[in-house]
mmCIF file of all heavy atoms in Angstrom:
data_model
loop_
_atom_site.group_PDB
_atom_site.id
_atom_site.type_symbol
_atom_site.label_atom_id
_atom_site.label_comp_id
_atom_site.label_asym_id
_atom_site.label_seq_id
_atom_site.Cartn_x
_atom_site.Cartn_y
_atom_site.Cartn_z
ATOM 1 N N VAL B 69 -21.053 14.838 7.470
ATOM 2 C CA VAL B 69 -20.020 15.792 7.064
ATOM 3 C C VAL B 69 -18.672 15.108 7.186
ATOM 4 O O VAL B 69 -18.546 14.071 7.841
ATOM 5 C CB VAL B 69 -20.045 17.092 7.909
ATOM 6 C CG1 VAL B 69 -21.340 17.851 7.697
ATOM 7 C CG2 VAL B 69 -19.812 16.805 9.381
ATOM 8 N N LYS B 70 -17.657 15.709 6.572
ATOM 9 C CA LYS B 70 -16.323 15.116 6.597
ATOM 10 C C LYS B 70 -15.269 16.015 7.225
ATOM 11 O O LYS B 70 -14.119 15.638 7.334
ATOM 12 C CB LYS B 70 -15.892 14.757 5.172
ATOM 13 C CG LYS B 70 -16.743 13.656 4.602
ATOM 14 C CD LYS B 70 -16.255 13.217 3.256
ATOM 15 C CE LYS B 70 -17.120 12.121 2.829
ATOM 16 N NZ LYS B 70 -17.260 11.385 1.861
ATOM 17 N N SER B 71 -15.677 17.217 7.630
ATOM 18 C CA SER B 71 -14.698 18.139 8.202
ATOM 19 C C SER B 71 -15.382 19.097 9.165
ATOM 20 O O SER B 71 -16.607 19.253 9.158
ATOM 21 C CB SER B 71 -14.021 18.952 7.097
ATOM 22 O OG SER B 71 -14.932 19.901 6.562
ATOM 23 N N ARG B 72 -14.550 19.742 9.959
ATOM 24 C CA ARG B 72 -15.050 20.742 10.904
ATOM 25 C C ARG B 72 -15.665 21.921 10.159
ATOM 26 O O ARG B 72 -16.646 22.500 10.602
ATOM 27 C CB ARG B 72 -13.884 21.221 11.784
ATOM 28 C CG ARG B 72 -14.324 21.857 13.061
ATOM 29 C CD ARG B 72 -13.168 22.341 13.882
ATOM 30 N NE ARG B 72 -12.347 21.296 14.424
ATOM 31 C CZ ARG B 72 -11.792 21.319 15.627
ATOM 32 N NH1 ARG B 72 -11.978 22.344 16.416
ATOM 33 N NH2 ARG B 72 -11.033 20.347 16.042
ATOM 34 N N TRP B 73 -15.100 22.272 9.007
ATOM 35 C CA TRP B 73 -15.638 23.375 8.204
ATOM 36 C C TRP B 73 -17.042 23.058 7.714
ATOM 37 O O TRP B 73 -17.930 23.910 7.769
ATOM 38 C CB TRP B 73 -14.723 23.683 7.020
ATOM 39 C CG TRP B 73 -13.455 24.303 7.451
ATOM 40 C CD1 TRP B 73 -12.211 23.736 7.401
ATOM 41 C CD2 TRP B 73 -13.264 25.591 8.036
ATOM 42 N NE1 TRP B 73 -11.283 24.603 7.927
ATOM 43 C CE2 TRP B 73 -11.895 25.750 8.315
ATOM 44 C CE3 TRP B 73 -14.129 26.636 8.353
ATOM 45 C CZ2 TRP B 73 -11.375 26.899 8.896
ATOM 46 C CZ3 TRP B 73 -13.606 27.788 8.935
ATOM 47 C CH2 TRP B 73 -12.237 27.901 9.185
ATOM 48 N N GLN B 74 -17.234 21.826 7.214
ATOM 49 C CA GLN B 74 -18.565 21.424 6.762
ATOM 50 C C GLN B 74 -19.548 21.446 7.930
ATOM 51 O O GLN B 74 -20.691 21.868 7.778
ATOM 52 C CB GLN B 74 -18.525 20.029 6.148
ATOM 53 C CG GLN B 74 -17.860 19.966 4.804
ATOM 54 C CD GLN B 74 -17.821 18.555 4.243
ATOM 55 O OE1 GLN B 74 -17.999 17.577 4.958
ATOM 56 N NE2 GLN B 74 -17.575 18.451 2.953
ATOM 57 N N LEU B 75 -19.086 20.993 9.081
ATOM 58 C CA LEU B 75 -19.913 20.980 10.285
ATOM 59 C C LEU B 75 -20.339 22.398 10.663
ATOM 60 O O LEU B 75 -21.513 22.670 10.899
ATOM 61 C CB LEU B 75 -19.112 20.334 11.418
ATOM 62 C CG LEU B 75 -19.802 20.067 12.733
ATOM 63 C CD1 LEU B 75 -20.949 19.092 12.561
ATOM 64 C CD2 LEU B 75 -18.791 19.508 13.727
ATOM 65 N N LEU B 76 -19.387 23.311 10.685
ATOM 66 C CA LEU B 76 -19.664 24.709 11.022
ATOM 67 C C LEU B 76 -20.650 25.317 10.026
ATOM 68 O O LEU B 76 -21.623 25.968 10.421
ATOM 69 C CB LEU B 76 -18.357 25.503 11.045
ATOM 70 C CG LEU B 76 -18.472 26.976 11.413
ATOM 71 C CD1 LEU B 76 -19.026 27.145 12.823
ATOM 72 C CD2 LEU B 76 -17.103 27.644 11.317
ATOM 73 N N ASN B 77 -20.421 25.075 8.738
ATOM 74 C CA ASN B 77 -21.325 25.617 7.712
ATOM 75 C C ASN B 77 -22.732 25.068 7.869
ATOM 76 O O ASN B 77 -23.710 25.810 7.748
ATOM 77 C CB ASN B 77 -20.786 25.323 6.314
ATOM 78 C CG ASN B 77 -19.618 26.204 5.957
ATOM 79 O OD1 ASN B 77 -19.504 27.323 6.435
ATOM 80 N ND2 ASN B 77 -18.726 25.688 5.123
ATOM 81 N N LEU B 78 -22.844 23.771 8.140
ATOM 82 C CA LEU B 78 -24.156 23.158 8.295
ATOM 83 C C LEU B 78 -24.909 23.784 9.469
ATOM 84 O O LEU B 78 -26.072 24.138 9.347
ATOM 85 C CB LEU B 78 -24.015 21.650 8.497
ATOM 86 C CG LEU B 78 -25.343 20.916 8.610
ATOM 87 C CD1 LEU B 78 -25.300 19.635 7.805
ATOM 88 C CD2 LEU B 78 -25.700 20.610 10.046
ATOM 89 N N VAL B 79 -24.229 23.935 10.598
ATOM 90 C CA VAL B 79 -24.885 24.502 11.775
ATOM 91 C C VAL B 79 -25.281 25.954 11.517
ATOM 92 O O VAL B 79 -26.400 26.358 11.841
ATOM 93 C CB VAL B 79 -23.982 24.389 13.030
ATOM 94 C CG1 VAL B 79 -24.560 25.181 14.199
ATOM 95 C CG2 VAL B 79 -23.798 22.927 13.431
ATOM 96 N N GLN B 80 -24.395 26.733 10.930
ATOM 97 C CA GLN B 80 -24.688 28.151 10.722
ATOM 98 C C GLN B 80 -25.779 28.381 9.677
ATOM 99 O O GLN B 80 -26.434 29.421 9.699
ATOM 100 C CB GLN B 80 -23.423 28.917 10.333
ATOM 101 C CG GLN B 80 -22.413 28.983 11.462
ATOM 102 C CD GLN B 80 -22.901 29.761 12.683
ATOM 103 O OE1 GLN B 80 -24.078 29.803 13.021
ATOM 104 N NE2 GLN B 80 -21.981 30.368 13.384
ATOM 105 N N GLN B 81 -25.994 27.413 8.793
ATOM 106 C CA GLN B 81 -27.002 27.587 7.751
ATOM 107 C C GLN B 81 -28.301 26.860 8.073
ATOM 108 O O GLN B 81 -29.272 26.969 7.323
ATOM 109 C CB GLN B 81 -26.450 27.110 6.400
ATOM 110 C CG GLN B 81 -25.303 27.965 5.916
ATOM 111 C CD GLN B 81 -24.627 27.405 4.677
ATOM 112 O OE1 GLN B 81 -25.122 26.494 4.052
ATOM 113 N NE2 GLN B 81 -23.488 27.959 4.339
ATOM 114 N N HIS B 82 -28.320 26.127 9.178
ATOM 115 C CA HIS B 82 -29.496 25.335 9.521
ATOM 116 C C HIS B 82 -30.653 26.252 9.874
ATOM 117 O O HIS B 82 -30.479 27.203 10.625
ATOM 118 C CB HIS B 82 -29.180 24.394 10.682
ATOM 119 C CG HIS B 82 -30.165 23.293 10.824
ATOM 120 N ND1 HIS B 82 -31.383 23.463 11.414
ATOM 121 C CD2 HIS B 82 -30.126 22.019 10.419
ATOM 122 C CE1 HIS B 82 -32.039 22.323 11.377
ATOM 123 N NE2 HIS B 82 -31.304 21.432 10.779
ATOM 124 N N PRO B 83 -31.842 25.960 9.327
ATOM 125 C CA PRO B 83 -32.991 26.818 9.663
ATOM 126 C C PRO B 83 -33.411 26.638 11.125
ATOM 127 O O PRO B 83 -33.228 25.570 11.702
ATOM 128 C CB PRO B 83 -34.079 26.330 8.711
ATOM 129 C CG PRO B 83 -33.675 24.971 8.296
ATOM 130 C CD PRO B 83 -32.175 24.895 8.416
ATOM 131 N N THR B 84 -33.962 27.678 11.678
ATOM 132 C CA THR B 84 -34.535 27.606 13.021
ATOM 133 C C THR B 84 -36.027 27.821 12.897
ATOM 134 O O THR B 84 -36.503 28.426 11.931
ATOM 135 C CB THR B 84 -33.945 28.680 13.963
ATOM 136 O OG1 THR B 84 -34.187 29.955 13.391
ATOM 137 C CG2 THR B 84 -32.458 28.480 14.183
ATOM 138 N N GLU B 85 -36.743 27.314 13.874
ATOM 139 C CA GLU B 85 -38.187 27.531 13.861
ATOM 140 C C GLU B 85 -38.466 29.009 14.066
ATOM 141 O O GLU B 85 -37.867 29.637 14.917
ATOM 142 C CB GLU B 85 -38.853 26.731 14.977
ATOM 143 C CG GLU B 85 -38.799 25.241 14.775
ATOM 144 C CD GLU B 85 -39.506 24.498 15.895
ATOM 145 O OE1 GLU B 85 -40.437 25.065 16.492
ATOM 146 O OE2 GLU B 85 -39.109 23.363 16.149
ATOM 147 N N SER B 86 -39.364 29.534 13.278
ATOM 148 C CA SER B 86 -39.709 30.948 13.470
ATOM 149 C C SER B 86 -40.883 31.035 14.436
ATOM 150 O O SER B 86 -41.978 30.591 14.137
ATOM 151 C CB SER B 86 -40.064 31.588 12.129
ATOM 152 O OG SER B 86 -41.060 30.844 11.496
ATOM 153 N N SER B 87 -40.591 31.569 15.623
ATOM 154 C CA SER B 87 -41.659 31.711 16.620
ATOM 155 C C SER B 87 -41.390 32.916 17.475
ATOM 156 O O SER B 87 -40.303 33.325 17.704
ATOM 157 C CB SER B 87 -41.766 30.465 17.482
ATOM 158 O OG SER B 87 -40.526 30.121 18.047
#
Side-chain angles (χ1 to χ4, degrees):
V69 296
K70 293 185 178 178
S71 72
R72 200 181 292 218
W73 290 111
Q74 288 179 343
L75 187 62
L76 181 62
N77 285 331
L78 182 137
V79 171
Q80 293 296 32
Q81 294 172 11
H82 197 281
T84 58
E85 292 181 28
S86 54
S87 53

